[in-house]
Amino acid sequence: MTTSKSNILINSSNTTIPQVKKVSNLKGHTERCIDTIFFPVQNLIATVSADRTTKLWDSQGSLLNTFEGHLDRLGRVAFHPSGKYLGTTSFDKTWRLWDVENGTELLLQEGHSRYMG
């Protein structure tokens, strides 16, 4: 199908939509969730929130750990490729590196002139 307004070509014969089903609700943050990431190797999910926490979940929705330390709402979360570490950014102008296994803060990087969103 081609549209004249934006010249977009969609070839529907090569498009597949994966089957998706809801597994669980992730309940635990006290304010809105800002970012979510899935680490498929270990079936882990990490979420960050305006409540200034990062939460680690298994793929069934069980809370495994809560990471606390940021002084303002969080902006982003990312897994290290090994899955051993989490990086979080915050509107407190810092980013932190966390040990996924035990929840220990490994690094606090301060000194940014703007928020880390």
Side-chain angles (χ1 to χ4, degrees):
M1 174 177 117
T2 304
T3 61
S4 59
K5 290 183 179 179
S6 57
N7 296 324
I8 297 173
L9 177 65
I10 299 173
N11 184 348
S12 62
S13 63
N14 292 332
T15 305
T16 59
I17 299 174
Q19 295 295 327
V20 178
K21 71 175 188 168
K22 180 178 172 181
V23 176
S24 68
N25 288 323
L26 304 178
K27 294 183 180 180
H29 286 293
T30 59
E31 294 188 35
R32 74 184 184 283
C33 183
I34 295 174
D35 195 18
T36 303
I37 190 162
F38 177 63
F39 188 68
V41 176
Q42 297 174 354
N43 288 320
L44 297 175
I45 302 165
T47 58
V48 295
S49 170
D51 67 10
R52 302 179 301 196
T53 66
T54 301
K55 294 193 181 288
L56 185 68
W57 315 81
D58 67 18
S59 61
Q60 298 304 307
S62 295
L63 181 61
L64 303 175
N65 208 340
T66 299
F67 305 85
E68 297 178 289
H70 284 288
L71 304 176
D72 201 347
R73 71 183 190 265
L74 280 84
R76 298 284 181 252
V77 62
F79 278 102
H80 183 271
S82 69
K84 294 180 180 181
Y85 311 105
L86 269 178
T88 56
T89 66
S90 174
F91 282 74
D92 66 7
K93 302 177 187 174
T94 68
W95 68 269
R96 295 171 192 248
L97 185 67
W98 307 89
D99 183 302
V100 168
E101 188 174 320
N102 60 30
T104 304
E105 181 185 298
L106 302 173
L107 177 67
L108 165 60
Q109 180 67 51
E110 298 176 295
H112 293 274
S113 61
R114 298 180 136 189
Y115 72 87
M116 301 283 298

